[in-house]
Amino acid sequence: MHHTTTMPTGRPTGCPFDPPAELAALRDEQPLRPLLYPDGHVGWLATGHAAIRAVLADPRFSSRPELAHFPLPREGFDGEMPPVPPGMFINADAPEHTRYRGLLTGRFTVRRMRLLSARVEEVTVEHLDAMERRGPSTDLVTAFAQPIPALMICELLGAPYADRDFFLEHTATFNDHEATAERQAESMAAFGGFLHDLVLAKRARPTDDLLSDLTETDLTDEELANVAFLLLGAGLDTTANMIALGTLALFTNPDQIALLRADPDRAVEELLRYLSIAHTGVRVALADVELDGHLIKAGQTVTISLEAGNRDPAKFPDPDRLDLSRHAAGHLSFGHGIHQCLGQQLARVEMRVALPALFERFPTLRPTVAPRDVPLRSDVDILGVQRLPVTWDVP
Amino acid sequence: MDRERCVGAGMCVLAEATVFDQDEGDGTVLLLDPTPAVERRAGVREAAAVCPSGAVTLLDG
Ligand code: HEM
């Protein structure tokens, strides 16, 4: 019998970027181990890079949340997840997943997303100009990190930019574990209704955007609204948090800023690895699976600690060091397997444009509170900062 | 190259853009150069290693 642990939480004080210390200890001891879930379920915890890749690449593991147990208790959550609505393909298995993803991958290729670079640059410059006009201090989250990805994903889909604040507010509520179930349901309903109307508008009067093009496939209105919901939800909060948390990481590692400028592509990969903002996922075994000398039984949940895998010394030497000159390929920050992030090339373009431009425009940029006092969003699905108050010298 | 398995993540293009590309229509992998030169081998090996869906296989690595 193995010793069964519960899911470690709590980030080390003074080192907000590091995963819970206990998680690292568990990984180094046993990269795949039994885990006791809050509802009494005994499942597994994968923390090693190789074990995580093996689970995520294996079609015998399901992404359907209604089959899963969750490693941490959630406020107001009675343990039963409703079945996932059609079109939410992040939570679907093959072959349903394959159909939706196949309709979208051609729109998110490396080439197409790089063609958007010029537009990302324009949007970035607009926001830097606005910061400069209103300067010399601001909250970087609302002035810079949130609006750039919001504008890009809204333009890509054809959702009106005027509704940005609406989107930001509702995505933040979903990702907030502390929000009551009621507030989450309200947000969900408001968001869903808006997107449904948008789909009807695109069907009636198609414009030049992804959502209009999707109305020409055999997807129903409900499926279209759910696909739009997924893209917006996954595209707003994630990149915004990478930009804000990435800036904070550079504030605490100022020697790395020159490396960001020297090779932004390489630097962005390392920031993705080091910060692992989408830190944890779950999968459920649909059949008995033997892995690493363990038997994972059908029905058991495996919690996937992407952040522990990204700090696995067996894969990345000196893993707790942020080193923007490192070749960080193979990190797990966008996941692995058939669900690996659809929007990753867009996210890369946004980060590799926005981050260097920020430090170029404001070489004296610095936080107005000590980095350790910056309020973090730590108890949520996507790590980040709540606010990042910054200032700079006016020449 | 297994275009049925491919999920169009684009990791192979990032690893070695002279050997891999993505189809304009469905985003799946295209092989530009089936016998890459020696100096491309490292990139090709990386592409196979990072491919999320196991769609890239090396013959005589
Ligand atoms: C730095 C920013 C981002 C991070 C860290 C991130 C992370 C992730 C991760 C870890 C997954 C895998 C989830 C799983 O296996 O269950 C994922 C999937 C996904 N992401 Fe992202 N993401 C980012 C940006 C984006 C953007 C900008 C978009 C929108 C265009 C997006 C859309 C999606 C979608 C649609 C999926 C589901 C893919 C599937 O199930 O096939 N993401 N993302």
Side-chain angles (χ1 to χ4, degrees), chain A residues 73-96:
Chain A
R74 292 185 176 213
E75 176 100 23
F77 173 70
D78 66 2
E80 287 282 315
M81 289 287 276
V84 172
M88 272 298 162
F89 59 94
I90 194 169
N91 290 319
D93 301 333
E96 292 80 17

Side-chain angles (χ1 to χ4, degrees), chain B residues 7-46:
Chain B
V7 293
M11 301 305 290
C12 52
V13 183
L14 292 189
E16 191 45 77
T18 63
V19 176
F20 302 100
D21 200 352
Q22 285 172 284
D23 184 281
E24 274 289 299
D26 68 7
T28 57
V29 59
L30 295 177
L31 191 57
L32 300 177
D33 179 359
T35 52
V38 179
E39 62 273 23
R40 307 278 180 222
R41 297 277 163 88
V44 173
R45 257 193 299 278
E46 179 181 313

